[in-house]
Amino acid sequence: MDTLSDSRWTHRHAARPQTGAGHRMPARHPGQVPGQPAVGRSVAQAAMSGEPALPGNECAALADSQAPTETPGIAQRLPDLVLRRIFSYLSPAAQCRCARVCRHWESCLPALRVRLTRWLKEEHPASYQAPPGWGQGFHSRTRPFLQATNSPLLPALMQQEQQEPGRTRSQDTGQLTGKPAAGDLFSALVHHSLQHQLTLTPQLRLRPAAITLPDKAPMHTFRFSACSRWLAMRCRPQATGPDVLRLYGWDKDCWQPCLLRSCPTENVSSFHFSLTPPDRLISVHGRDVLAWRKEQDSNTWHSTPVCQIHPAHRVSNLYSAANGDQVIMTKRAGDDFILLGILFCRPTSCRPTSCRPTMAGESQGWETVMTTTYDSARVPFVSACWTMEPHSCQLALATVTHELDSGRFTNEVHIWHTGPHRARPQQWRCQTSVLPWYDAAIKSLIYSPGGRYLLGILRNGRGCLWALGAQCRLQERLILPGCLPPWRPHYPASFSADEQQLALPLSLRQIQLCYSDTRGNWRRYQVLEAPSAPADRPDREPHRILLSASGAILVRATPDTLDIWHRQAAGHWLHSLQRRGTENATFPTDACLLKAGELVCTTAQDPTLSLGVHGPDKRGRLVTKACRAVAVPLCGPDAISPDGLSLVVSSTMDPPCLLQIVPPEESEASRQTPAKHSGTCRLL
């Protein structure tokens, strides 16, 4: 692997760990001679069924020079019932190896789809829970990367694609749950294949991605779709003009502009992509909320009205639920009152009312199934905070009332929830819980990725972790006194993808780790402490704490310092990287996590602004896999597409720059010896 070096970055090494068993490349096996039956050959050299081998699994085979046994072996003559009972005790990986022995054995095993699903569920739970969007970007985005890196799972993906060609090419999956048991196996395989290849690839490249910009207008905000095929931007072409909505689609290895037919001239204030289907864009123009869908075989998008907002209100947040509902938060604030509104909007199927071309799976209308308000004039609350967990279709909203005479605070948490199935829509319901603390106001709420847990932070630094039981009732799991008090609306805390690990700040430099066992019992674990800052530069509050999907990488970012810890095979944490911006740096340090591959992208001005991609290699070491000088920094934790292959670097004063994560060129990948320090980055 070519090493990348930078003496300005602080690196630490652990003892060289054992090579992980899950990263061995599969052995090559001789194929069956056409027309030759499997019976009559030895078990070791039996014909292969043509099924793809799982990465990390090996199967012994006789040398080609050895003659096969003419008499069937005992194992090959066992009754089907006996073979099925024996195979039922084997792991999914062992079953896949048995399927490659002979056709008879393969016929006694569960179907390939069943074996792959069980293998992902037991050995790769994070991939097993991958949302449907991972399969939607396979053709244009993921497959080229897997082909370039020779993914061993690519044959399995192609086979699944051939079995369900309409589903993998469809833009509306119709699947709304995060589990691949019925139809999301393809998305789970794509997720695991990409994670496997990003980990094994020792080097990556950051290549500028072509995009057609009509002008040099700076980009204020942007959103990727769940399938990573679409990118929406809010730009201001003229200094005194309105913000406009621009849409791009990934095609032919570049970002192509899309036409928004009859786009309103009003200022676009908010927008986002829905989870289901992933090609639906929701935008707010003045009072109007619109839903955009792509016309078939065209780059033209058409809009459908969703609802209208009250003239005195403004849209505060847009959320998309996994069942296709849109949750719209509105706010009106005066000198002595706060009025919050929540609109729950749902697509309805009806006949087309216009002569324009229709879209596949399009819902022609919308209805507001429920509205609710929180009015401080009726219930005198003084503050509120909220958050949404889209996959579990839950909205948590906390209100705080304050009695001036006694100084007593009353904290209430309202959980709005509905069913996740689009085919069986349910009404939105609310479960209200009153917290037993009256000495401080709740200031922040954070959901775990699947909606099983909710973390609340009070102004005095007390944290409480709840499990959401039946009907979304709060069940206390862990009390965390002495946390860093919240100083901004988005508190820097993070869960792992399996919802069994939690990281949150205790102080400016200390991070508390918490773990859950299989029974859901939480406890505190160790405390990690970042190296102290120089005497002339005081510590500053962290604005970002990120925990990777597996919980093995932890990132802490302050405006001028960035730290990365990596959990070793033995379980202890190693502080592996520190990037520190210069004293008068123009841009703060920042970081974002890829949802596959356990990769971390960082930017810091030290002293030249550069973008680094760090992650574990096949030996479990944290390495720098790519480094590139950039003119502008990352755009926050959402700067990377859901599939982890596209990056956005931008500022409010410059036009956006898009980068693509690609494998190294053949000349770079063929080098076997580490290069000398080049003065940019190096192995951590």
Side-chain angles (χ1 to χ4, degrees):
M1 186 189 79
D2 290 340
T3 55
L4 305 167
S5 69
D6 189 344
S7 58
R8 298 184 303 272
W9 297 8
T10 305
H11 311 80
R12 290 172 173 81
H13 292 269
R16 180 175 178 179
Q18 298 282 340
T19 302
H23 299 299
R24 294 177 297 176
M25 296 301 294
R28 298 182 60 88
H29 309 279
Q32 180 180 1
V33 178
Q36 180 180 353
V39 177
R41 303 180 63 192
S42 66
V43 172
Q45 202 184 6
M48 303 220 292
S49 64
E51 292 187 358
L54 301 180
N57 301 323
E58 298 181 4
C59 181
L62 295 178
D64 292 339
S65 59
Q66 290 182 263
T69 304
E70 298 298 334
T71 305
I74 297 177
Q76 292 172 289
R77 292 181 293 176
L78 290 174
D80 293 359
L81 182 62
V82 176
L83 282 174
R84 290 191 181 97
R85 176 60 64 90
I86 294 173
F87 292 155
S88 67
Y89 293 105
L90 301 181
S91 67
Q95 288 183 352
C96 287
R97 290 197 293 269
C98 291
R100 301 169 65 85
V101 171
C102 65
R103 296 183 187 277
H104 177 55
W105 279 28
E106 181 192 8
S107 66
C108 296
L109 284 161
L112 174 63
R113 184 182 187 86
V114 176
R115 298 198 304 272
L116 288 173
T117 301
R118 183 184 164 203
W119 172 68
L120 289 167
K121 183 177 181 180
E122 294 181 1
E123 300 187 27
H124 306 283
S127 296
Y128 175 74
Q129 297 174 355
W134 285 87
Q136 296 301 303
F138 175 70
H139 283 278
S140 59
R141 295 181 58 84
T142 314
R143 185 171 66 176
F145 184 90
L146 297 179
Q147 288 173 335
T149 55
N150 299 317
S151 170
L153 268 176
L154 190 58
L157 287 165
M158 302 300 292
Q159 182 173 340
Q160 292 295 316
E161 180 190 31
Q162 292 172 2
Q163 293 176 357
E164 300 182 49
R167 174 181 173 80
T168 56
R169 286 182 169 86
S170 172
Q171 295 178 4
D172 187 349
T173 65
Q175 271 294 333
L176 305 164
T177 61
K179 299 180 180 180
D184 293 338
L185 173 62
F186 188 76
S187 292
L189 282 175
V190 171
H191 180 279
H192 175 70
S193 301
L194 190 57
Q195 177 160 305
H196 186 257
Q197 294 308 113
L198 287 171
T199 301
L200 288 184
T201 304
Q203 248 188 333
L204 298 168
R205 282 191 303 130
L206 291 168
R207 185 198 67 193
I211 183 171
T212 304
L213 298 173
D215 48 48
K216 295 184 178 180
M219 178 186 66
H220 293 280
T221 56
F222 67 95
R223 294 288 187 274
F224 283 104
S225 65
C227 62
S228 304
R229 296 172 57 197
W230 314 107
L231 173 64
M233 302 179 184
R234 180 165 65 95
C235 305
R236 181 171 293 178
Q238 301 176 3
T240 59
D243 289 350
V244 299
L245 182 64
R246 291 174 177 171
L247 182 63
Y248 295 86
W250 182 261
D251 186 34
K252 298 178 181 178
D253 209 29
C254 64
W255 292 101
Q256 304 277 2
C258 300
L259 174 63
L260 297 175
R261 180 71 68 184
S262 302
C263 189
T265 57
E266 289 90 346
N267 182 74
V268 56
S269 58
S270 184
F271 62 93
H272 76 159
F273 286 95
S274 65
L275 290 179
T276 306
D279 65 333
R280 177 186 287 152
L281 175 65
I282 309 296
S283 61
V284 181
H285 305 262
R287 294 181 54 199
D288 297 320
V289 181
L290 303 179
W292 299 86
R293 291 299 305 276
K294 181 180 178 296
E295 181 182 320
Q296 281 186 340
D297 303 322
S298 170
N299 277 337
T300 301
W301 292 56
H302 299 271
S303 64
T304 303
V306 177
C307 66
Q308 276 196 333
I309 306 302
H310 190 279
H313 289 214
R314 64 175 180 85
V315 174
S316 177
N317 295 91
L318 285 175
Y319 298 112
S320 176
N323 64 351
D325 288 4
Q326 304 300 314
V327 181
I328 304 170
M329 299 285 301
T330 66
K331 185 176 182 180
R332 180 187 177 192
D335 295 335
D336 55 355
F337 71 92
I338 302 174
L339 180 62
L340 298 177
I342 310 177
L343 291 83
F344 301 96
C345 301
R346 179 169 293 168
T348 59
S349 298
C350 62
R351 293 180 180 179
T353 57
S354 64
C355 60
R356 65 174 174 82
T358 59
M359 283 65 75
E362 179 187 19
S363 294
Q364 295 291 335
W366 289 78
E367 63 175 340
T368 302
V369 296
M370 180 178 290
T371 60
T372 187
T373 58
Y374 290 83
D375 190 351
S376 64
R378 292 184 298 172
V379 179
F381 64 91
V382 295
S383 65
C385 59
W386 56 87
T387 187
M388 177 85 180
E389 207 299 301
H391 298 287
S392 59
C393 299
Q394 296 179 20
L395 171 71
L397 184 145
T399 59
V400 181
T401 58
H402 185 209
E403 299 177 5
L404 297 178
D405 295 337
S406 62
R408 174 189 174 108
F409 293 91
T410 302
N411 297 285
E412 293 186 354
V413 178
H414 308 260
I415 306 293
W416 289 91
H417 59 96
T418 186
H421 302 288
R422 185 178 182 181
R424 301 187 300 274
Q426 301 177 13
Q427 289 293 327
W428 285 84
R429 297 180 175 84
C430 182
Q431 178 68 48
T432 302
S433 302
V434 180
L435 304 187
W437 307 305
Y438 307 100
D439 55 343
I442 189 167
K443 299 299 293 182
S444 186
L445 294 171
I446 303 102
Y447 263 116
S448 64
R452 293 172 55 194
Y453 300 101
L454 181 66
L455 175 68
I457 305 294
L458 276 67
R459 183 184 292 275
N460 61 3
R462 180 189 293 121
C464 184
L465 182 66
W466 300 285
L468 284 90
Q471 304 301 318
C472 293
R473 291 184 174 87
L474 298 184
Q475 302 172 356
E476 186 179 296
R477 287 290 182 264
L478 186 65
I479 301 297
L480 297 160
C483 297
L484 191 64
W487 65 95
R488 59 176 64 207
H490 302 288
Y491 193 73
S494 180
F495 287 87
S496 60
D498 61 3
E499 304 178 283
Q500 293 185 352
Q501 300 180 53
L502 168 65
L504 70 168
L506 286 181
S507 65
L508 297 180
R509 292 191 293 114
Q510 291 182 326
I511 299 177
Q512 174 71 65
L513 299 178
C514 305
Y515 289 83
S516 170
D517 58 21
T518 55
R519 298 181 179 180
N521 299 317
W522 283 81
R523 62 183 179 87
R524 290 180 174 226
Y525 192 54
Q526 67 189 97
V527 175
L528 304 181
E529 185 167 351
S532 58
D536 58 339
R537 299 177 66 179
D539 291 320
R540 301 179 66 180
E541 296 87 354
H543 62 265
R544 203 94 63 212
I545 290 180
L546 305 173
L547 197 58
S548 66
S550 69
I553 293 179
L554 179 66
V555 182
R556 168 188 173 269
T558 70
D560 54 14
T561 306
L562 189 142
D563 298 278
I564 298 180
W565 289 265
H566 182 216
R567 190 177 63 201
Q568 304 299 294
H572 68 276
W573 288 84
L574 175 70
H575 184 263
S576 303
L577 171 71
Q578 183 175 85
R579 297 193 67 180
R580 190 181 297 276
T582 56
E583 186 173 359
N584 298 317
T586 306
F587 303 105
T589 63
D590 211 343
C592 62
L593 286 172
L594 275 71
K595 296 183 179 179
E598 296 287 291
L599 299 185
V600 184
C601 297
T602 66
T603 51
Q605 193 169 343
D606 50 0
T608 302
L609 185 64
S610 60
L611 170 62
V613 180
H614 325 279
D617 62 5
K618 60 183 179 181
R619 297 181 179 180
R621 301 176 302 172
L622 191 68
V623 299
T624 297
K625 298 194 174 188
C627 184
R628 180 186 180 91
V630 291
V632 286
L634 288 170
C635 299
D638 299 322
I640 196 158
S641 60
D643 63 8
L645 298 181
S646 295
L647 273 166
V648 178
V649 290
S650 180
S651 71
T652 57
M653 302 298 294
D654 301 282
C657 174
L658 282 95
L659 301 172
Q660 198 73 7
I661 296 180
V662 296
E665 296 178 345
E666 293 184 4
S667 58
E668 300 177 25
S670 61
R671 282 182 257 172
Q672 301 295 329
T673 57
K676 295 182 179 179
H677 296 325
S678 60
T680 54
C681 311
R682 65 184 174 93
L683 188 69
L684 299 179

